[in-house]
Amino acid sequence: ARTRLAEKFGNQTRTGGKGSMRRKKKVVHKTSSADDKKLRSSMKKLGSQPLPGIEEANMFMENNNVMHFTNPEVQANIRDNLIVISGNGEVKGIQDLMPGILPQLGPKDMQFLKDFLQQSAKEEDVPDLVGDQNFEDIAEQD
């Protein structure tokens, strides 16, 4: 009977091994929670302890941008000089985080900030008045 069915329909009708059906679609499981558990266990092996009460963390990059973490989860091992920051980070410019970021800036970042302020001051200069006009005369005309 199987040979007649194989001749009639071909071998594509058989979906699995002897007497069983096989899945047609492979289900991919998400492993984010498993990865998180592995990360926590490896951090535990390194002897890191959670540091509560940290509201924000900033990492300064070479291209004068800042990786900004709001309410991060911070774990540290002070003896081995190991700090792990986890959470949702956003890449922002230094000027976007002003003025609260000023105490955290290093000498290189301060030089970038000075250059940026000088450039923006040049762009925002007030144009000269034309001829013998002054602001008071123009204000009285209106």
Side-chain angles (χ1 to χ4, degrees), residues 51 106 130 132:
L51 299 176
V130 179
D132 296 332

Side-chain angles (χ1 to χ4, degrees), residues 14-112:
R14 187 167 186 178
T15 58
K18 183 178 177 183
S20 67
M21 289 189 64
R22 190 176 280 178
R23 275 193 226 171
K24 294 184 172 113
K25 182 175 126 182
K26 184 176 180 181
V27 178
V28 178
H29 297 287
K30 295 187 178 184
T31 60
S32 63
S33 62
D35 290 341
D36 194 34
K37 288 179 185 177
K38 287 180 183 178
L39 179 66
R40 289 186 194 279
S41 67
S42 62
M43 290 303 299
K44 196 77 148 175
K45 288 178 187 175
L46 292 172
S48 65
Q49 299 294 322
L51 299 176
I54 295 178
E55 296 174 6
E56 71 173 7
N58 294 317
M59 297 174 69
F60 295 91
M61 295 189 264
E62 291 293 323
N63 59 358
N64 295 320
N65 285 333
V66 179
M67 177 76 73
H68 179 73
F69 294 90
T70 305
N71 294 326
E73 190 174 315
V74 180
Q75 296 179 344
N77 183 348
I78 306 300
R79 184 188 64 193
D80 294 334
N81 199 18
L82 173 74
I83 298 174
V84 176
I85 300 172
S86 57
N88 293 329
E90 300 176 74
V91 177
K92 296 183 177 181
I94 292 177
Q95 55 271 20
D96 296 338
L97 298 172
M98 295 300 283
I101 201 168
L102 283 176
Q104 302 172 13
L105 294 178
K108 181 183 173 197
D109 298 321
M110 288 297 274
Q111 184 61 40
F112 167 75

